[in-house]
Amino acid sequence: MQNLNVNSERYTLNMGPQHPSTHGVLRIVADFDGETCVSADPQIGYLHRGMEKLLESRTYVQGMPYTDRLDYLAGVNNNLPYALAVEKLLGVEIPERASLLRMLSCEIMRLASYMVGIGIYIMDLGAVSAVFYPYQQREYALEVMSALCGARMTQGYIRFGGVQADWNEQCDAALQKLLDEFPPFLEMYHKLVDENEIFLHRTKGVGVVTAEQAKAYGLTGANLRASGVSYDLRRDAPYCLYDRFKFKVPVQQAGDCHARYVQRMEECEVIYQLIKDIYAALKETEGGEIMGKVPKVLRVPAGEAYAQTENPKGIMGCMVASDGKTNPLRVHFRRPSFDNIAIYSELMPGHKMADLVTIIASFDIVLGEIDA
Amino acid sequence: MFGKGILKGLMVTGKEAASKRLTEKYPEEKPNLPDRWRGGSFALDKEACINCGLCAMACPNKVIRQKFEKDEENKKICTEFVMDRQYCLYCGLCVEACPKGCLHFTQDFETAVYLASDVPQDLLADGNMEAPRSKYGEKPPLPKPVITPKPAAPAAPAASAAKVEEGGDK
Ligand code: SF4
Ligand code: SF4
């Protein structure tokens, strides 16, 4: 390797797979010239469980609990594209109440996932106390899910044709707690972090992604919107009953690590409002059906179907190919975190070592999804 | 002034440090588990079980080990019913699949054991029915059938309706 700078040494550094700030088992092989990164290469596969193969060897229904383990911070959101794709092949009609319950649980888990994303981001920059406040809010969100379907993280709540269980009083109480606690938290968190000079210095102008770059690399979700591209599947290609609800899609123009933080914080407000609206709509369908007409032994007609949803990390897509048997011929997932990290090799060179941590954290990746 | 934002943040932290404690003091305080909790151990109502094996068929990870034999009167009896909990996903598909509603989750959560051999749960030896039971998978009571005075409809629509059974909640 040629040394560009006579005063510094060039070396290769392995960040991860066992590194606390790589969000699990991501490994970045980076070349440094002194403190400055000259090339970076994300290596993946340390959490590979062969999810797509596992789904092929099980029946459609049995595959559902496995999808939770992709983005394990928002289990129920991963159920949805799989269910939607299979339902396209089945051609079943989803009752209104079931659709609302799907949306409500997805928004609650989206909020929970954003809380982790924001909290861990700030913690990776050194502010450890700032991780616990969002986690408290996440706890309230998980309480709702555990009252609804019995599990906190790997919910597997969605079934083909509807959902597993109906809303009850315990869910009411848990959701009320979340709705009461969240606005004061958001205000407090803005006070805690927004003006912190260290945070601003470490994030402003770091890891700038332009709108062109973001589109070229296929970024989705909050990372795309932080670069000035206003694209949200819930608004632009609505699934479930999202077309019934009016909500704003926040956009940032800067595209740097700071913008990605601001973007998530602003989206939290939108999610909060959406939860309230969907909950109000759910109350009007009291006593409605939660399962469509689906045969007990599921034989999915031969064919292929693709469905995509807006997940907390970006657009999750699911492709299901069926040959008419009880188990799928092939299932493939488009996992948003996997596509989001591709830009690292271009984004990281030129930054200092500590900025690499900022960049990784600002993208809010989850390794269960990257490695599948 | 540089550092104003940091001070503002520290004031928030100070205020939060003096606020009410939110964590549970486990083990003195026990967590308040929701009714539909799934996890921990299983409970089986042996009398109600009809040895159909549907729970084992529903399981995605072959957790349920069942063996059936015929007794002298040619009746199907169960000779082995073990939950290999080390493979369990706690997905609840088995509980939902049971036609008699005799397989349950319990509200146990302290399930750590010293020996690996204690993890599989032999439900035939101990049905575990005394443990606080979870309401997961319980079907809501069916609405009272409306009894019409005279049978109006012919048999045809009833037969087609029976073919398309509802999945999940029955
Ligand atoms: S909870 Fe799921 S994995 Fe566990 S025994 Fe039941 S069906 Fe099998
Ligand atoms: S599904 Fe229910 S009735 Fe059938 S074997 Fe299992 S526990 Fe017994």
Side-chain angles (χ1 to χ4, degrees):
Chain A
M1 232 186 288
Q2 197 206 338
N3 204 344
L4 304 174
N5 185 346
V6 280
N7 296 320
S8 64
E9 191 189 343
R10 254 190 104 144
Y11 58 94
T12 303
L13 184 81
N14 276 298
M15 241 177 101
Q18 305 296 337
H19 188 287
S21 73
T22 55
H23 288 222
V25 282
L26 178 68
R27 174 173 165 223
I28 308 263
V29 181
D31 282 345
F32 283 94
D33 185 355
E35 266 279 312
T36 311
C37 177
V38 280
S39 78
D41 189 12
Q43 309 272 319
I44 62 164
Y46 294 94
L47 197 59
H48 180 63
R49 294 148 294 175
M51 205 60 93
E52 291 167 1
K53 200 74 200 163
L54 280 172
L55 258 64
E56 280 169 31
S57 60
R58 280 151 176 82
T59 65
Y60 286 92
V61 181
Q62 287 177 344
M64 194 57 95
Y66 288 88
T67 58
D68 288 313
R69 276 100 179 143
L70 287 165
D71 174 4
Y72 40 73
L73 296 174
V76 71
N77 299 52
N78 305 323
N79 297 161
L80 193 53
Y82 182 47
L84 289 178
V86 174
E87 280 159 6
K88 264 188 197 170
L89 288 173
L90 284 171
V92 292
E93 207 174 308
I94 316 300
E96 184 192 10
R97 188 172 173 81
S99 262
L100 289 171
L101 277 169
R102 285 176 173 191
M103 287 159 65
L104 184 57
S105 55
C106 282
E107 291 305 322
I108 289 169
M109 283 317 287
R110 191 190 311 277
L111 194 66
S113 171
Y114 272 37
M115 289 295 101
V116 179
I118 293 166
I120 299 283
Y121 179 13
I122 314 292
M123 188 185 73
D124 280 352
L125 301 180
V128 178
S129 61
V131 73
F132 297 111
Y133 306 129
Y135 261 67
Q136 184 56 44
Q137 302 305 312
R138 173 178 185 254
E139 197 64 25
Y140 296 135
L142 296 188
E143 287 297 314
V144 184
M145 287 314 289
S146 93
L148 183 56
C149 67
R152 288 158 50 85
M153 280 178 78
T154 46
Q155 292 110 357
Y157 173 59
I158 293 175
R159 295 282 179 275
F160 301 117
V163 291
Q164 185 263 325
D166 205 349
W167 196 259
N168 64 7
E169 293 88 56
Q170 279 193 335
C171 308
D172 273 328
L175 185 65
Q176 203 51 53
K177 181 96 182 152
L178 174 70
L179 293 178
D180 291 345
E181 298 283 343
F182 195 72
F185 155 78
L186 215 56
E187 199 183 310
M188 179 270 275
Y189 209 67
H190 277 302
K191 255 193 222 158
L192 181 68
V193 179
D194 278 11
E195 288 166 42
N196 189 311
E197 284 84 358
I198 302 174
F199 173 68
L200 294 179
H201 272 83
R202 286 203 55 188
T203 53
K204 280 217 161 153
V206 172
V208 181
V209 183
T210 63
E212 275 64 47
Q213 268 182 325
K215 281 189 268 183
Y217 274 92
L219 293 195
T220 46
N223 299 326
L224 175 70
R225 294 190 283 273
S227 291
V229 185
S230 175
Y231 187 64
D232 189 322
L233 271 191
R234 289 174 295 168
R235 184 198 60 191
D236 300 323
Y239 49 94
C240 289
L241 297 172
Y242 276 109
D243 43 0
R244 268 205 215 168
F245 297 88
K246 285 262 166 305
F247 55 95
K248 115 173 180 279
V249 177
V251 181
Q252 310 300 317
Q253 298 304 330
D256 58 0
C257 289
H258 183 254
R260 285 189 276 277
Y261 163 77
V262 177
Q263 175 69 23
R264 292 214 168 77
M265 288 298 273
E266 281 182 14
E267 281 190 24
C268 281
E269 285 166 34
V270 179
I271 299 170
Y272 178 78
Q273 193 52 46
L274 208 48
I275 291 179
K276 272 180 142 177
D277 292 350
I278 300 172
Y279 182 51
L282 183 75
K283 282 280 147 200
E284 279 164 25
T285 62
E286 204 75 65
E289 281 287 322
I290 57 161
M291 272 303 274
K293 294 265 176 289
V294 176
K296 200 86 212 263
V297 178
L298 212 57
R299 266 181 213 286
V300 177
E304 287 178 13
Y306 180 73
Q308 52 183 9
T309 60
E310 183 77 32
N311 269 26
K313 311 287 188 291
I315 293 174
M316 167 81 102
C318 179
M319 168 95 198
V320 176
S322 164
D323 56 355
K325 295 214 188 80
T326 52
N327 53 326
L329 182 66
R330 177 83 172 90
V331 181
H332 178 71
F333 289 101
R334 180 210 189 270
R335 291 107 54 204
S337 296
F338 175 76
D339 294 294
N340 287 352
I341 61 164
I343 202 171
Y344 282 3
S345 334
E346 186 172 328
L347 206 54
M348 284 175 173
H351 284 99
K352 296 274 187 266
M353 197 184 289
D355 292 340
L356 262 55
V357 174
T358 315
I359 292 173
I360 297 174
S362 75
F363 271 78
D364 184 19
I365 53 169
V366 61
L367 265 290
E369 190 171 82
I370 292 173
D371 293 339
Chain B
M1 184 189 86
F2 185 86
K4 207 168 128 217
I6 300 179
L7 281 180
K8 198 169 160 192
L10 279 177
M11 257 157 63
V12 174
T13 328
K15 214 166 100 198
E16 288 295 322
S19 68
K20 204 173 102 250
R21 170 172 63 84
L22 286 167
T23 46
E24 275 161 4
K25 262 200 174 167
Y26 181 79
E28 287 88 38
E29 270 173 50
K30 299 285 181 207
N32 191 10
L33 298 178
D35 284 349
R36 290 178 185 160
W37 171 256
R38 53 186 219 242
S41 58
F42 292 89
L44 174 72
D45 185 354
K46 277 179 274 184
E47 269 69 59
C49 178
I50 51 168
N51 304 335
C52 62
L54 284 180
C55 48
M57 253 158 66
C59 179
N61 228 10
K62 300 197 176 70
V63 172
I64 307 177
R65 225 183 316 139
Q66 277 179 327
K67 271 200 197 118
F68 298 113
E69 270 171 27
K70 290 268 165 75
D71 68 358
E72 309 87 69
E73 293 154 34
N74 211 13
K75 230 177 95 202
K76 199 173 170 189
I77 50 164
C78 184
T79 52
E80 187 180 26
F81 198 137
V82 180
M83 308 294 279
D84 281 324
R85 280 185 296 168
Q86 63 271 40
Y87 308 127
C88 186
L89 302 165
Y90 294 103
C91 61
L93 290 178
C94 52
V95 176
E96 283 169 49
C98 180
K100 290 282 158 190
C102 54
L103 188 63
H104 308 276
F105 282 116
T106 67
Q107 298 237 341
D108 287 341
F109 57 95
E110 292 159 315
T111 44
V113 286
Y114 282 100
L115 299 173
S117 56
D118 290 343
V119 179
Q121 198 186 353
D122 190 345
L123 285 177
L124 223 47
D126 178 11
N128 200 16
M129 285 300 278
E130 318 77 54
R133 232 178 301 151
S134 156
K135 288 201 173 71
Y136 181 86
E138 273 184 19
K139 285 107 203 171
L142 287 173
K144 283 234 175 75
V146 186
I147 301 155
T148 39
K150 72 175 180 12
S160 68
K163 237 187 278 166
V164 191
E165 280 176 79
E166 266 184 46
D169 278 21
K170 281 146 288 178

